Structure formats: C-alpha cells, structure tokens
Amino acid sequence: MWSYKKNLEFDLPVTPRWAYLRRRDLMKGTALGALAYWSGWAFAQEKLKFKSNADFQKVDPPYKVTDKKLVLSYNNFYEFSLEKDEVVKKVAGWKIDSWKLEVGGLVKKPRTLNLQDLTTAFELEERIYRFRCVEAWSMVVPWIGFSLSKLIESVEPKPEAKFVKFTTLADPAKMPGVKELSNYPWPYTEGLTIEEAKNPLTLMVVGAYGEPLAKQNGAPIRLIVPWKYGFKSAKSLVKIEFVKEQPKSLWQDLAPSEYGFYANVNPKVDHPRWSQASEKVIDGSFFPKRIPTLMYNGYEKYVTGLYAGLDLKKKY
Ligand SMILES: Nc1nc2c(c(=O)[nH]1)N[C@H]1C(S)=C(S)[C@@H](COP(=O)(O)O)O[C@H]1N2
Ligand SMILES: [Mo]
C-alpha cells in the first residue's frame, strides 16, 4: 500500500509547472514557437519555484497524469451521448469554427469573444489539475487556459453581480443527445459565486496536452473548477452572465436531491446512491485502483476561505 499522506506534502496538488504559452506560435509548429514554448515554461518554473515535472511523475497514483488517449475517449458530454465511449464518435461532424462566447449581464463592459479571441485575448498557462467526477472516478489532466479572473476584470462587473451563470451550446441539429434526452432542461447551465469565479484556480480551458481542446472535452472553451465535482466544469460555453441571484443549474433542476449548487468535492458527504469516500483512478486497466478522495479534491488551502460559514457534513 502506498502512503497517501506523503502526497499531501507536495506544496501544490495542482501544477508543478505553469507554462505561459504563446499558443499561436506553438500551433504554427515552428522552431521559434517551440523555443517560445519551452523558454516560457522554464521561466515560469523558475519564477514560481515549483517542483519539476520529473519529481511529480514519481509520486503515487493519484498524481500521475492520465494517458491522453483516455481523456480523449472517456467522456461525459450528454449533448452527444450518455455513453462515455460514444461521445468521441458523435462529435466528429460537429463544426465549431464560427464560435462566439458572449460575456454580459451585470457588467460595465460586455464583450463577445470569437474563436481566435479565446486563445489570444488572455495569456495562456498550462496547469495540471486533478479532476474528480461525481460518479466517483478521477483523472489528472494538463489543461491549457487562462484564469477566469482575468476575463472578469476586463468586463468590470457591477456591484450587484453576485453570481456567474455559464450556458453551453444546445444544438439539436448537431447534438444527438439534446434531441434524445428531451426531458432534460437544455441548455446545460452551471453557476458559481463571483468569489469562486475569481478564485485563481478557476480556469477557462482552451487546450490540453499541449494541443487545442478536443471537441469531446468541450471545445472551443470550457470551465474547469478543480475543487468541485466534474459536472460544474461546463463544456463548450456560449454565454457567461453576471447575475444577482444564485442561478439554477441543469443538474439542480433535473435531480435536486442529488446535485447541489456548490458541489464541492467532499469525501464525507455521500451521493444518495453511492459513497464519495474514494474514487476509481481512470488508468485504462480492467481493475482500476481506488484511492481515497480528498476534501476539496486536494485544493483545500486555496478554497476554504470561500466556505467559512458552511457545515462540511452537509450536502450543498
Ligand atoms: N455541456 C456539458 N458540460 C459538461 C458535461 C455535459 O454533459 N455537458 N458533463 C460534465 C461532467 S459530469 C464531467 S465529469 C465533465 C467531463 O469532462 P471530460 O469528458 O473532458 O473529462 O464534463 C462536465 N461538463
Ligand atoms: Mo461528472
């Protein structure tokens, strides 16, 4: 048995390396692009004094980066299919090239980002995050994106803005799940408090594994909130709105007894139908390992300040 405690000694269960990527150069695949990529990487590492990735790879299973092939083929994306292995096939004919992300609501400077803006308007970084689905499985993924806080700053929320509502695409013509699951309250929506949205861990993701985000992972842009159950990390966003009241998500609407607004990873509070005390590591094996689940998915020290008044034995 490996010792779990040992892992907690790592300063960050997040990324040991944050890289500031110049994606356009990188995507061109030029030598210069590669140089910018790697020098940016080294620079960030030095500045932030994180542990090198080589060390990181030696630690026990929960921190091993998940094989890219698994992240690309084991997906929850109900707009396409309820079957995890079907999503990758069903996104094949779906086109995302005329994408628009609208940012508005209670803000002074609403804006609309087109596909190119998504990867150029803000500095991109790579972060390796643990990812824990409410279904009690987990992965570790090297995402590329920008801090949502930067986008929030740029639109200047009004003081009345207390929550952020995220809306994702629901196109019945291109997304078979939207048509088939006709009792679902589409579109898929999610919400955060404005403090959660501004937390430095909250990422707007446009890539993974050094490449643009795959459609099955929520291209061209998705949310990643690593201390919450995976369903909060909405894929293929078309709208971000600043609102006064707590927004109701698709899952709260569909199954309020099972899915709350906060949905913070919490090993002490079970799902009504299964335990949340441990999780299956998605490693491609027939009998995957189970590891203990950590409070806030291991990101406790970054987020506890957000939940000072909450009783952690209760479901939210
Ligand atoms: N629009 C949308 N976003 C979504 C979902 C979905 O069905 N539709 N599933 C959620 C759930 S339950 C999980 S676990 C993650 C899965 O992300 P991945 O397939 O990239 O691992 O996406 C989340 N975001
Ligand atoms: Mo999930």
Side-chain angles (χ1 to χ4, degrees):
M1 260 306 264
W2 44 273
S3 145
Y4 201 72
K5 261 223 158 116
K6 210 174 82 197
N7 294 326
L8 298 178
E9 289 165 15
F10 274 87
D11 183 37
L12 271 184
V14 208
T15 169
R17 43 172 201 188
W18 309 43
Y20 298 89
L21 303 184
R22 292 194 51 210
R23 183 180 164 271
R24 274 174 307 176
D25 293 340
L26 183 64
M27 292 312 133
K28 277 187 217 144
T30 59
L32 206 68
L35 191 72
Y37 178 85
W38 287 108
S39 58
W41 192 297
F43 170 74
Q45 231 178 351
E46 207 217 332
K47 198 175 130 206
L48 294 162
K49 291 207 165 38
F50 284 125
K51 285 179 165 49
S52 80
N53 198 49
D55 289 351
F56 193 72
Q57 296 291 359
K58 272 186 225 142
V59 302
D60 294 321
Y63 298 96
K64 205 177 155 226
V65 172
T66 304
D67 186 344
K68 176 173 141 189
K69 272 189 288 190
L70 298 170
V71 175
L72 293 175
S73 60
Y74 185 91
N75 302 105
N76 272 337
F77 203 165
Y78 282 16
E79 285 85 339
F80 289 94
S81 178
L82 290 176
E83 303 298 325
K84 289 181 172 55
D85 56 350
E86 285 292 312
V87 175
V88 60
K89 298 172 210 161
K90 293 195 171 162
V91 297
W94 178 43
K95 294 259 184 303
I96 56 162
D97 36 287
S98 52
W99 205 267
K100 295 260 183 308
L101 171 63
E102 249 180 83
V103 188
L106 300 170
V107 296
K108 290 187 199 127
K109 295 183 176 166
R111 65 191 288 187
T112 300
L113 301 167
N114 66 25
L115 191 62
Q116 209 199 353
D117 298 332
L118 298 180
T119 54
T120 56
F122 304 95
E123 195 171 38
L124 301 179
E125 18 177 314
E126 177 176 78
R127 300 192 192 184
I128 300 173
Y129 278 165
R130 295 164 43 74
F131 184 85
R132 169 61 157 82
C133 175
V134 76
E135 297 161 346
W137 53 261
S138 69
M139 295 177 169
V140 176
V141 185
W143 303 113
I144 297 166
F146 57 87
S147 246
L148 176 55
S149 64
K150 291 186 196 163
L151 174 58
I152 296 179
E153 261 168 45
S154 84
V155 295
E156 299 180 22
K158 295 178 181 168
E160 315 90 86
K162 298 290 182 242
F163 295 90
V164 187
K165 179 182 176 186
F166 301 86
T167 304
T168 84
L169 184 71
D171 178 358
K174 293 280 146 48
M175 300 168 138
V178 172
K179 227 174 5 195
E180 284 156 25
L181 302 167
S182 55
N183 60 323
Y184 275 48
W186 303 111
Y188 194 107
T189 55
E190 263 306 338
L192 296 173
T193 66
I194 194 150
E195 292 78 19
E196 292 175 325
K198 285 181 183 166
N199 187 285
L201 291 177
T202 306
L203 209 60
M204 296 294 288
V205 165
V206 296
Y209 296 91
E211 289 164 16
L213 197 62
K215 289 188 276 184
Q216 60 271 33
N217 295 119
I221 189 160
R222 75 177 298 177
L223 180 66
I224 284 289
V225 198
W227 73 94
K228 292 178 181 282
Y229 290 119
F231 67 84
K232 297 293 294 182
S233 293
K235 292 175 165 182
S236 304
L237 300 170
V238 290
K239 204 192 273 181
I240 299 179
E241 284 166 283
F242 292 76
V243 296
K244 214 187 254 176
E245 314 284 342
Q246 190 183 95
K248 198 177 189 186
S249 70
L250 173 137
W251 288 115
Q252 278 178 288
D253 207 358
L254 203 60
S257 62
E258 304 197 356
Y259 308 106
F261 173 78
Y262 285 99
N264 294 319
V265 174
N266 185 345
K268 294 204 175 73
V269 177
D270 289 338
H271 184 278
R273 292 181 280 136
W274 57 82
S275 164
Q276 294 292 26
S278 68
E279 63 207 46
K280 185 172 86 174
V281 176
I282 300 303
D283 58 7
S285 72
F286 198 70
F287 294 108
K289 282 198 176 66
R290 282 201 90 85
I291 59 168
T293 288
L294 300 175
M295 188 64 206
Y296 297 118
N297 202 23
Y299 298 98
E300 196 159 12
K301 80 175 198 201
Y302 300 93
V303 301
T304 39
L306 294 170
Y307 308 111
L310 297 193
D311 173 359
L312 296 180
K313 292 197 191 71
K314 286 214 307 240
K315 176 181 156 280
Y316 293 98

